[in-house]
Amino acid sequence: MTSKNPKIPDLNRKVMTNPVHFLAFGFGSGLAPFAPGTFGTLMAIPLYLIIQTQSLPIYLGILAVVCIVGIWICDKSSELLGVHDHSGIVWDEFAGFFVTMIAAPAGWLWVIIGFALFRLFDIWKPWPISILDKKVEGGLGIMVDDIVAGVYALVCLQLIHYLMVISG
């Protein structure tokens, strides 16, 4: 695999015409000229709003499918592009945000807090996220750091909610 990103017009065409790239690039949101991870997470919000109404077991089932299929999608897109973890591959942001929002309280405040927490941990990459990001290869490597960032954000989101509830 090469370390160079494909040329932009060629990449746009590839992403918009290949279903694997289209999904990996978050329905095109990963083509944003800057902060593609943030745009990918923003694209995840409407999908979250659709699945948040499901029961917890169904939500977790959907999340499992997103994660398992995501490993394959990210691996295949990366392989086809010849670039490991291309910055435009944002399916992992979808999975990480969905992890963050497991059993989240309803309302836009919690969506915004969840978004901010997930982006914080995804960008900051505290231990062991940074190690996973560097050491795990392929589609699993692309996905795992965002899933763990989502777990960190989930714990913080639930703790904030708990503290707000007990403080009245």
Side-chain angles (χ1 to χ4, degrees), residues 8-143:
I8 297 299
D10 192 39
L11 179 62
N12 290 348
R13 183 183 50 73
K14 284 181 182 179
V15 168
M16 300 312 283
T17 59
N18 181 314
V20 170
H21 292 317
F22 187 68
L23 291 173
F25 277 67
F27 310 108
S29 62
L31 292 171
F34 61 92
T38 299
F39 280 92
T41 307
L42 286 170
M43 181 61 82
I45 291 172
L47 297 175
Y48 165 72
L49 294 173
I50 293 168
I51 65 172
Q52 75 170 342
T53 60
Q54 301 302 311
S55 67
L56 184 58
I58 292 174
Y59 184 95
L60 293 174
I62 293 168
L63 176 58
V65 169
V66 166
C67 291
I68 292 166
V69 170
I71 292 169
W72 183 84
I73 288 169
C74 293
D75 187 60
K76 189 67 174 172
S77 182
S78 183
E79 176 188 321
L80 291 170
L81 291 173
V83 181
H84 174 69
D85 203 359
H86 186 286
S87 62
I89 295 176
V90 296
W91 186 266
D92 49 331
E93 270 74 18
F94 285 41
F97 181 70
F98 294 163
V99 168
T100 300
M101 301 306 289
I102 294 171
W108 278 104
L109 173 66
W110 299 104
V111 172
I112 293 166
I113 293 171
F115 173 86
L117 287 169
F118 172 67
R119 293 308 303 143
L120 171 73
F121 287 112
D122 188 33
I123 293 166
W124 177 27
K125 296 192 185 315
W127 184 90
I129 299 169
S130 59
I131 294 169
L132 294 169
D133 186 46
K134 292 174 186 162
K135 300 285 185 188
V136 183
E137 298 287 326
L140 180 61
I142 294 170
M143 293 286 293

